[in-house]
């Protein structure tokens, strides 16, 4: 495998160097062939957006669980498990989907296939996981009150 233009064989296009040259001309010896740059760039950008979404879900999840469980105890009928479960679904689901997306995208690169759609599907699924985790977290917040109503904290 070569990473630069092989020297052209002298004479006709047959012989030991012709196969290597033909592969290079068709982009068969690099992960970034000229005709696929837009596909690779869009894949990398979508993967980066998914990673950013996962990092944001983790940070927001930690802050939300810490603030929601601060006043949560058995006397109020509150259980921190649903808060933690919602945050875990959001952050963990997004992470697992992101890892699977990276593996599939790199596999597509190695096979010289288009990979932007894999990253786009992974990003959409990560958004679904974060939304689902947010819904579970919000339901835990609503049920902590006991009557299904969201109320403001009464100041003394």
């Amino acid at each position: 495998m070569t990473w630069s233009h092989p020297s052209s064989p002298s004479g006709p296009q047959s012989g030991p160097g012709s196969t290597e040259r033909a592969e290079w001309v068709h982009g068969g010896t690099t992960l970034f062939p000229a005709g696929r740059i837009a596909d690779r760039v869009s894949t990398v950008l979508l993967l980066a957006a998914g990673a950013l979404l996962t990092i944001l879900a983790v940070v927001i999840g930690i802050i939300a669980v810490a603030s929601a469980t601060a006043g949560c105890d058995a006397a109020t009928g509150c259980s921190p498990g649903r808060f933690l479960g919602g945050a875990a679904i959001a952050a963990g689901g997004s992470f697992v989907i992101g890892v699977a997306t990276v593996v599939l995208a790199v596999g597509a690169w190695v096979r010289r296939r288009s990979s932007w759609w894999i990253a786009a599907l992974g990003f959409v699924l990560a958004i679904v996981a974060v939304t689902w985790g947010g819904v579970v977290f919000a339901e835990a917040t609503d049920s902590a009150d006991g009557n299904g109503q969201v109320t403001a904290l009464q100041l003394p």
Side-chain angles (χ1 to χ4, degrees):
M1 180 181 288
T2 182
W3 295 99
S4 62
H5 189 286
S7 60
S8 62
S10 58
Q13 291 291 341
S14 63
S18 65
T19 305
E20 184 179 338
R21 177 167 172 68
E23 283 183 17
W24 185 85
V25 167
H26 288 92
T29 59
T30 179
L31 287 176
F32 298 99
R36 302 258 185 202
I37 294 296
D39 177 64
R40 301 303 192 252
V41 168
S42 61
T43 300
V44 169
L45 290 176
L46 284 165
L47 290 173
L52 182 63
L53 178 67
T54 301
I55 291 168
L56 286 173
V58 169
V59 170
I60 292 171
I62 289 171
I63 293 169
V65 168
S67 66
T69 59
C72 186
D73 58 4
T76 61
C78 173
S79 172
R82 291 187 66 193
F83 294 123
L84 189 59
I89 290 171
S94 180
F95 178 77
V96 169
I97 290 168
V99 169
T101 301
V102 168
V103 168
L104 291 173
V106 170
W109 286 1
V110 170
R111 290 187 326 264
R112 310 281 187 261
R113 305 280 184 201
S114 179
S115 59
W116 69 268
W117 65 272
I118 297 170
L121 181 63
F123 184 68
V124 169
L125 290 175
I127 290 172
V128 168
V130 169
T131 303
W132 180 28
V135 167
V136 170
F137 189 91
E139 286 177 356
T141 303
D142 288 346
S143 67
D145 184 25
N147 60 6
Q149 299 289 328
V150 177
T151 59
L153 179 63
Q154 298 295 323
L155 295 175

